[in-house]
Amino acid sequence: MRESKMQELYMRISRLCESRSINIPYFRPLLEDFCKQFRSTGIDADTIPYGVFVPYLFNTSYYRADNKIFYMGRDTYGWIPFNEMMRLYDDGNIWKYLNDTTLQVEDEQALSWKNASGAFWPFVLKLHIYIRTGKYVEDLMSLEDDSDERRSLYEIGYGNMNSMELQESLDNEGVDYDPKIYAKVKELSAPLDRIKHILDAYSPDFIFIFNWVEADEIFEGLNVTWHEKHYIDDKLAVYTIEDYDTKIIWSSHPRRFSYLGENTESMVRLLGDKLSELI
């Protein structure tokens, strides 16, 4: 019963967020370059499970928010098939792939994530509501459709540290693929992982990253400063970036909070209060 209610919430958000936005002029040449490089390898597109994830907005309300916020996870389980992406590229319609990516977080995807990434989205929604309203909502299903809390969810920007799934994720899904071939293609996608693309395409005020790993490569092309005074081991790190106003708040994936002696509410308050302090 509880899972079905959560699925219903995601369905409502998806249906109401019909003004989703992706910066096609920015990402189109980047994705076309990736596809061109892939074609030059001679690898069969059918051997690669899923296409490239490109950061996007749940709704153009993002641009009207007091603070524009992106939320980033590690990677996303499943996406548009890779061979479909390449077919659209070959037909000169890669813009359609970019548009279609904004439609992937819907009913079926929410259902498929109930075990793999289910902890990510409930946490992000609760954190965003807390940031926007100062209220911690335990039961997301208690929100009224026309409430400020519900409407605030349409402001979310969505990104990942990896534009293509990690092999570990594919293994967990039981996907059939050739590890050596996939590793070559994953390497080609590395330039798309750079956080600079989110900065330049969407100009966020804040970016939350939920994956406590060393990943300096996503900062390629940026001069980044780590702020020791904000650091809490395994829970919180803050970075600023030269020539950008964006602040990055890095934390662990919500699945790890219990191992850190924390729970959803305590981490929502810790991270939300830190953002308020940094404004």
Side-chain angles (χ1 to χ4, degrees):
M1 177 64 72
R2 183 68 182 176
E3 283 184 355
S4 65
K5 287 186 176 181
M6 288 301 300
Q7 293 158 20
E8 180 183 352
L9 173 63
Y10 297 142
M11 289 165 63
R12 289 179 181 175
I13 293 172
S14 296
R15 288 165 181 164
L16 290 171
C17 293
E18 294 180 354
S19 299
R20 295 182 180 213
S21 177
I22 190 165
N23 191 332
I24 291 178
Y26 182 89
F27 285 107
R28 180 173 182 168
L30 293 172
L31 189 54
E32 286 179 333
D33 185 59
F34 167 81
C35 292
K36 181 180 180 181
Q37 290 185 59
F38 173 78
R39 278 291 181 232
S40 71
T41 67
I43 297 173
D44 185 348
D46 290 340
T47 65
I48 308 301
Y50 304 116
V52 171
F53 173 94
V54 178
Y56 65 92
L57 311 176
F58 270 22
N59 189 284
T60 53
S61 296
Y62 167 90
Y63 293 109
R64 299 189 294 274
D66 292 338
N67 290 287
K68 302 187 296 295
I69 306 174
F70 251 79
Y71 298 90
M72 297 179 61
R74 186 181 75 166
D75 58 358
T76 294
Y77 281 22
W79 209 241
I80 299 172
F82 193 92
N83 57 9
E84 174 66 9
M85 179 184 72
M86 292 307 302
R87 183 188 67 78
L88 291 170
Y89 166 73
D90 292 339
D91 292 345
N93 292 323
I94 201 65
W95 64 269
K96 187 176 187 302
Y97 175 85
L98 288 167
N99 185 66
D100 288 350
T101 63
T102 69
L103 306 175
Q104 296 307 298
V105 183
E106 290 193 325
D107 314 9
E108 294 301 321
Q109 288 301 100
L111 177 61
S112 69
W113 291 341
K114 64 180 182 295
N115 294 320
S117 332
F120 177 84
W121 280 112
F123 180 79
V124 165
L125 300 183
K126 291 179 180 183
L127 174 58
H128 194 75
I129 290 170
Y130 181 76
I131 290 169
R132 295 291 286 114
T133 69
K135 301 175 183 177
Y136 177 75
V137 177
E138 180 65 41
D139 182 5
L140 291 167
M141 293 311 303
S142 68
L143 300 177
E144 297 294 333
D145 285 345
D146 61 350
S147 66
D148 291 341
E149 292 89 345
R150 176 65 67 81
R151 286 195 296 268
S152 75
L153 302 182
Y154 311 150
E155 302 166 353
I156 288 173
Y158 175 28
N160 278 320
M161 296 178 68
N162 293 276
S163 55
M164 292 186 67
E165 281 189 63
L166 296 174
Q167 292 191 27
E168 176 187 346
S169 299
L170 295 175
D171 292 340
N172 289 339
E173 294 174 71
V175 174
D176 184 26
Y177 69 101
D178 185 310
K180 291 184 178 180
I181 291 176
Y182 189 82
K184 292 179 181 179
V185 179
K186 181 77 168 65
E187 186 176 355
L188 289 179
S189 73
L192 295 169
D193 299 342
R194 297 170 188 164
I195 208 165
K196 188 176 189 299
H197 297 313
I198 292 177
L199 299 175
D200 292 342
Y202 300 111
S203 302
D205 297 301
F206 291 92
I207 297 175
F208 283 97
I209 301 176
F210 297 106
N211 189 30
W212 197 265
V213 296
E214 292 288 340
D216 291 342
E217 61 275 9
I218 71 168
F219 290 138
E220 186 171 336
L222 300 171
N223 187 3
V224 178
T225 300
W226 171 69
H227 295 271
E228 184 176 5
K229 70 177 183 178
H230 299 296
Y231 183 76
I232 304 175
D233 191 33
D234 275 341
K235 299 177 185 179
L236 177 64
V238 173
Y239 299 84
T240 52
I241 307 166
E242 185 177 348
D243 297 327
Y244 293 88
D245 294 329
T246 305
K247 298 177 179 68
I248 296 173
I249 300 176
W250 201 315
S251 188
S252 292
H253 192 283
R255 283 195 299 265
R256 294 194 65 235
F257 292 162
S258 62
Y259 297 101
L260 303 175
E262 302 287 354
N263 56 42
T264 296
E265 181 174 357
S266 65
M267 287 302 294
V268 161
R269 295 186 184 279
L270 173 67
L271 299 180
D273 291 347
K274 180 56 64 176
L275 180 144
S276 296
E277 177 187 333
L278 295 170
I279 292 175

